[in-house]
Amino acid sequence: MTDITRAIAAATSVAASLDLPANDAIVLHNSNRLALRLTPCDVLARVAPVRHEAARFEVELAQRLAQVGCPTGLLDPRVDPLVYTRDGFRVTLWTYYEPVTPHTSPVDYAKALEQLHAGMRKVDVPSPRFTDRIVEAEDVVANPNLSPELADADRAFLSSRLGSLRRAIEDRGTVEQLLHGEPHPGNVLGTKDGPLFIDLETCCRGPVEFDLAHVPESVCEHYPNVDQGLLDECRQLVLAMVAAWRWELGDQLPNGRRFGEEFLRSLRKGPPWPTLDTVTRRLDRP
């Protein structure tokens, strides 16, 4: 998000209108949405432009998942669980969790993800399918106006790989269920209550291996009954989708182009397919 000043003003205004004192705002994360810690009320505010329509879905889903005991971040209990609109922004207010560990162990991460999936099987909500995410990536790749810096050869390669992987995964006929959609380490908080998953706007239906394709290899090793062949296909798919999004015009991820290039290199190199955290560490090396 580029208009951070206005977004912060919108969030603090909403909090103040609900009798939550917000004299200061600390930016925790900034991408398609802005995550803020408002103090002294200690609220996590998530702010997005009004065109971002997933906020209501996320709020409703968070309530349903909390009812079945899923390890997810909770909405702030001091205010009504609503999406608040202010000055062209949608604002939602969540519980702020003080981090207690710099890193969640693979065993705890896997157990929490298994618990999340078990709870999600009890929740019946209308949700997109994982293939909708593939279509979004295919649209970016297919339209040079959306990805003007993507070379023609890379465009053809990504388009082919996205299509073939979608067909291969669907042809398996694997059981599908509600998923987090992007349970990578950036969406897992280490808290005194254990690992909690946040950012539920990406929830979709698909095979659990689609979720597992976003997490470190060490986590997958502790998750039961994984179909390794399907996991390999899903890892390729995630690499291809993320590569497409990194070439999208207006992408705001820092060093996004470098990530896009690295994902393309990984796909062309072939197996073993790297996990997202492996690619990130590779690019973080001096």
Side-chain angles (χ1 to χ4, degrees):
M1 184 185 297
T2 55
D3 203 344
I4 296 177
T5 302
R6 283 183 53 235
I8 290 175
T12 54
S13 173
V14 166
S17 72
L18 298 169
D19 296 324
L20 296 174
N23 302 327
D24 193 22
I26 302 164
V27 176
L28 302 177
H29 183 69
N30 179 27
S31 57
N32 60 326
R33 289 194 293 177
L34 187 66
L36 304 167
R37 181 186 183 184
L38 304 182
T39 59
C41 61
D42 233 12
V43 167
L44 174 66
R46 303 182 65 133
V47 192
V50 289
R51 66 177 179 275
H52 192 88
E53 299 178 354
R56 186 167 288 104
F57 168 74
E58 184 177 29
V59 166
E60 293 174 358
L61 182 59
Q63 295 176 83
R64 298 284 297 277
L65 294 178
Q67 291 169 359
V68 296
C70 284
T72 55
L74 300 175
L75 292 153
D76 191 296
R78 294 171 289 181
V79 298
D80 290 334
L82 300 172
V83 177
Y84 299 89
T85 303
R86 191 68 50 94
D87 191 26
F89 294 96
R90 299 186 195 275
V91 180
T92 53
L93 301 176
W94 303 78
T95 298
Y96 175 76
Y97 297 91
E98 192 72 45
V100 296
T101 57
H103 149 118
T104 299
S105 77
V107 172
D108 291 342
Y109 196 145
K111 286 181 178 177
L113 186 56
E114 187 181 1
Q115 183 184 351
L116 176 68
H117 287 157
M120 284 180 154
R121 288 194 286 273
K122 303 175 184 177
V123 174
D124 184 19
V125 293
S127 58
R129 195 163 172 246
F130 78 104
T131 50
D132 293 357
R133 311 282 301 283
I134 305 174
V135 170
E136 291 174 6
E138 287 177 322
D139 288 345
V140 171
V141 172
N143 188 345
N145 291 327
L146 296 179
S147 50
E149 295 182 31
L150 184 61
D152 290 344
D154 292 335
R155 192 181 303 280
F157 172 75
L158 270 181
S159 177
S160 174
R161 186 60 65 93
L162 286 164
S164 63
L165 287 167
R166 174 171 60 177
R167 290 188 294 273
I169 294 169
E170 289 194 292
D171 286 349
R172 286 178 174 268
T174 307
V175 173
E176 298 183 2
Q177 68 155 81
L178 187 64
L179 305 172
H180 180 285
E182 289 186 3
H184 55 69
N187 283 333
V188 182
L189 301 179
T191 77
K192 62 181 179 61
D193 300 317
L196 297 178
F197 291 91
I198 59 171
D199 203 352
L200 302 172
E201 68 168 1
T202 55
C203 284
C204 58
R205 298 194 70 81
V208 293
E209 283 80 3
F210 181 78
D211 261 2
L212 291 169
H214 291 79
V215 307
E217 178 64 44
S218 57
V219 176
C220 296
E221 291 171 356
H222 295 283
Y223 193 100
N225 305 317
V226 177
D227 182 328
Q228 190 60 50
L230 178 55
L231 178 58
D232 283 346
E233 289 173 346
C234 287
R235 279 191 179 143
Q236 292 180 70
L237 176 61
V238 169
L239 289 172
M241 290 192 305
V242 177
W245 294 327
R246 295 293 71 85
W247 290 97
E248 186 173 10
L249 188 67
D251 177 53
Q252 295 179 14
L253 184 78
N255 299 318
R257 287 291 183 271
R258 284 185 63 215
F259 277 94
E261 291 165 355
E262 187 63 30
F263 289 135
L264 281 169
R265 274 195 294 270
S266 297
L267 284 167
R268 283 198 162 98
K269 183 179 179 181
W273 307 107
T275 55
L276 294 177
D277 65 304
T278 298
V279 176
T280 299
R281 284 197 304 271
R282 191 183 297 162
L283 291 178
D284 284 343
R285 289 173 190 158

